[in-house]
Coordinates of all heavy atoms in Angstrom, one line a residue:
G610 N 5.2 2.3 -7.4 CA 4.6 3.0 -8.6 C 5.6 3.8 -9.3 O 5.6 3.8 -10.6
A611 N 6.6 4.4 -8.6 CA 7.7 5.1 -9.3 C 8.5 4.2 -10.1 O 9.0 4.6 -11.2 CB 8.5 5.9 -8.2
G612 N 8.9 3.1 -9.6 CA 9.7 2.1 -10.3 C 9.0 1.6 -11.6 O 9.6 1.5 -12.7
I613 N 7.7 1.4 -11.5 CA 6.9 1.0 -12.6 C 6.8 2.1 -13.7 O 7.0 1.9 -14.9 CB 5.5 0.6 -12.2 CG1 5.5 -0.7 -11.4 CG2 4.6 0.4 -13.4 CD1 4.2 -1.1 -10.7
K614 N 6.6 3.3 -13.2 CA 6.5 4.5 -14.1 C 7.8 4.7 -14.8 O 7.8 5.0 -16.0 CB 6.2 5.7 -13.3 CG 5.9 7.0 -14.1 CD 5.5 8.2 -13.2 CE 5.2 9.4 -14.1 NZ 4.7 10.5 -13.3
Q615 N 8.9 4.5 -14.2 CA 10.2 4.6 -14.9 C 10.4 3.5 -16.0 O 10.8 3.8 -17.1 CB 11.4 4.4 -13.9 CG 12.8 4.6 -14.5 CD 13.9 4.3 -13.5 OE1 13.7 4.2 -12.3 NE2 15.1 4.3 -14.0
A616 N 9.9 2.3 -15.6 CA 10.0 1.2 -16.6 C 9.1 1.5 -17.8 O 9.5 1.2 -19.0 CB 9.7 -0.1 -16.0
I617 N 7.9 2.1 -17.6 CA 7.0 2.4 -18.7 C 7.6 3.6 -19.5 O 7.6 3.5 -20.7 CB 5.6 2.8 -18.1 CG1 5.0 1.6 -17.5 CG2 4.8 3.4 -19.2 CD1 3.7 1.9 -16.8
S618 N 8.1 4.6 -18.8 CA 8.7 5.7 -19.6 C 9.9 5.4 -20.4 O 10.2 6.0 -21.4 CB 9.0 6.9 -18.6 OG 10.1 6.5 -17.7
E619 N 10.7 4.4 -20.0 CA 11.8 3.9 -20.8 C 11.5 2.9 -21.8 O 12.4 2.3 -22.4 CB 12.9 3.5 -19.8 CG 13.5 4.6 -18.9 CD 14.7 4.2 -18.1 OE1 15.3 3.2 -18.5 OE2 15.0 4.9 -17.2
G620 N 10.2 2.6 -21.9 CA 9.8 1.6 -23.0 C 10.1 0.2 -22.7 O 10.0 -0.7 -23.6
I621 N 10.4 -0.2 -21.4 CA 10.6 -1.5 -21.0 C 9.3 -2.4 -21.0 O 9.3 -3.5 -21.3 CB 11.3 -1.6 -19.6 CG1 12.7 -1.0 -19.8 CG2 11.4 -3.0 -19.1 CD1 13.4 -0.8 -18.4
V622 N 8.3 -1.7 -20.6 CA 7.0 -2.4 -20.5 C 5.8 -1.4 -20.6 O 6.0 -0.2 -20.4 CB 6.9 -3.1 -19.1 CG1 6.8 -2.1 -18.0 CG2 5.8 -4.1 -19.0
K623 N 4.7 -1.9 -21.0 CA 3.5 -1.1 -21.1 C 2.6 -1.5 -19.9 O 2.6 -2.6 -19.4 CB 2.7 -1.4 -22.4 CG 3.5 -1.0 -23.6 CD 2.7 -1.3 -24.9 CE 3.5 -0.9 -26.1 NZ 2.7 -1.3 -27.4
R624 N 1.8 -0.6 -19.5 CA 0.9 -0.9 -18.3 C 0.0 -2.1 -18.6 O -0.2 -2.9 -17.7 CB 0.0 0.4 -18.0 CG -1.1 0.1 -17.0 CD -0.5 -0.3 -15.7 NE -1.5 -0.7 -14.6 CZ -1.9 -1.9 -14.4 NH1 -1.4 -2.9 -15.1 NH2 -2.8 -2.1 -13.4
E625 N -0.5 -2.2 -19.8 CA -1.4 -3.4 -20.1 C -0.7 -4.7 -20.1 O -1.3 -5.8 -20.0 CB -2.1 -3.2 -21.4 CG -1.2 -3.0 -22.6 CD -0.9 -1.5 -22.9 OE1 -0.9 -0.7 -22.0 OE2 -0.7 -1.2 -24.1
D626 N 0.6 -4.7 -20.0 CA 1.4 -5.9 -20.0 C 1.9 -6.3 -18.5 O 2.7 -7.2 -18.3 CB 2.6 -5.9 -20.9 CG 2.2 -5.7 -22.3 OD1 1.2 -6.3 -22.7 OD2 2.9 -5.0 -23.1
L627 N 1.4 -5.5 -17.6 CA 1.8 -5.7 -16.2 C 0.6 -6.2 -15.3 O -0.5 -5.9 -15.6 CB 2.3 -4.4 -15.6 CG 3.6 -3.9 -15.9 CD1 3.9 -2.5 -15.3 CD2 4.7 -4.8 -15.6
F628 N 0.9 -7.0 -14.3 CA 0.0 -7.4 -13.3 C 0.4 -6.8 -12.0 O 1.4 -7.2 -11.4 CB 0.0 -8.9 -13.2 CG -1.1 -9.5 -12.3 CD1 -2.3 -9.8 -12.8 CD2 -0.8 -9.7 -10.9 CE1 -3.3 -10.4 -11.9 CE2 -1.8 -10.2 -10.1 CZ -3.0 -10.6 -10.6
I629 N -0.4 -5.8 -11.6 CA -0.1 -5.1 -10.3 C -1.0 -5.5 -9.2 O -2.3 -5.4 -9.4 CB -0.2 -3.5 -10.6 CG1 0.8 -3.1 -11.6 CG2 0.0 -2.8 -9.2 CD1 0.7 -1.6 -12.0
Q630 N -0.5 -6.0 -8.2 CA -1.3 -6.4 -7.0 C -0.9 -5.7 -5.8 O 0.3 -5.5 -5.4 CB -1.0 -7.9 -6.8 CG -1.8 -8.5 -5.6 CD -1.6 -10.0 -5.5 OE1 -2.4 -10.7 -6.2 NE2 -0.7 -10.5 -4.8
T631 N -1.9 -5.1 -5.1 CA -1.6 -4.5 -3.8 C -2.7 -5.0 -2.8 O -3.5 -5.9 -3.1 CB -1.7 -2.9 -3.9 OG1 -1.2 -2.4 -2.7 CG2 -3.1 -2.4 -4.2
K632 N -2.6 -4.4 -1.6 CA -3.4 -5.0 -0.5 C -4.1 -3.9 0.3 O -3.5 -2.8 0.5 CB -2.6 -5.9 0.4 CG -1.8 -7.0 -0.3 CD -1.0 -7.8 0.7 CE 0.0 -8.7 0.0 NZ 1.1 -7.9 -0.5
F633 N -5.2 -4.2 0.8 CA -5.8 -3.4 1.9 C -5.4 -4.1 3.2 O -5.7 -5.2 3.4 CB -7.3 -3.3 1.8 CG -7.9 -2.8 3.1 CD1 -7.9 -1.4 3.4 CD2 -8.6 -3.6 4.0 CE1 -8.4 -0.9 4.6 CE2 -9.1 -3.2 5.2 CZ -9.0 -1.8 5.5
T634 N -4.7 -3.3 4.1 CA -4.2 -3.9 5.3 C -5.0 -3.3 6.5 O -5.1 -2.1 6.7 CB -2.7 -3.5 5.5 OG1 -2.0 -3.9 4.4 CG2 -2.2 -4.1 6.8
P635 N -5.7 -4.2 7.2 CA -6.5 -3.7 8.4 C -5.6 -3.0 9.4 O -4.3 -3.1 9.4 CB -7.1 -5.0 9.0 CG -7.1 -5.9 7.8 CD -5.9 -5.6 7.0
V636 N -6.2 -2.3 10.4 CA -5.5 -1.5 11.4 C -4.5 -2.3 12.1 O -3.4 -1.8 12.4 CB -6.6 -0.9 12.4 CG1 -5.9 -0.2 13.5 CG2 -7.5 0.1 11.7
G637 N -4.8 -3.6 12.5 CA -3.9 -4.4 13.2 C -2.5 -4.6 12.6 O -1.5 -4.9 13.3
G638 N -2.4 -4.4 11.3 CA -1.2 -4.6 10.6 C -0.5 -3.3 10.2 O 0.6 -3.3 9.5
Q639 N -1.0 -2.2 10.7 CA -0.5 -0.9 10.3 C 0.3 -0.2 11.4 O 0.2 -0.5 12.6 CB -1.7 0.1 9.9 CG -2.6 -0.4 8.8 CD -1.9 0.0 7.4 OE1 -0.8 0.4 7.3 NE2 -2.7 -0.2 6.4
D640 N 1.1 0.7 11.0 CA 1.8 1.6 11.9 C 0.8 2.8 12.1 O 0.5 3.5 11.1 CB 3.1 2.1 11.3 CG 3.8 3.2 12.1 OD1 3.2 3.6 13.1 OD2 4.9 3.6 11.7
L641 N 0.3 2.9 13.3 CA -0.7 3.9 13.5 C -0.2 5.4 13.3 O -1.1 6.3 13.1 CB -1.2 3.8 15.0 CG -1.9 2.5 15.3 CD1 -2.4 2.5 16.8 CD2 -3.1 2.2 14.4

């Protein structure tokens, strides 16, 4: 998010021109 925010603030890209994908990771894939 910080890297994206920097790119937006420097005028490199607008939020609406980005495709942001993240994931919900179940417990088995997490560091408890």
Side-chain angles (χ1 to χ4, degrees):
I613 293 172
K614 186 175 184 178
Q615 181 183 355
I617 292 173
S618 66
E619 295 191 17
I621 293 171
V622 68
K623 297 178 180 179
R624 171 62 183 95
E625 56 266 31
D626 297 326
L627 285 177
F628 185 90
I629 298 175
Q630 176 172 278
T631 190
K632 307 178 192 76
F633 166 74
T634 305
V636 172
Q639 298 279 9
D640 175 353
L641 296 181

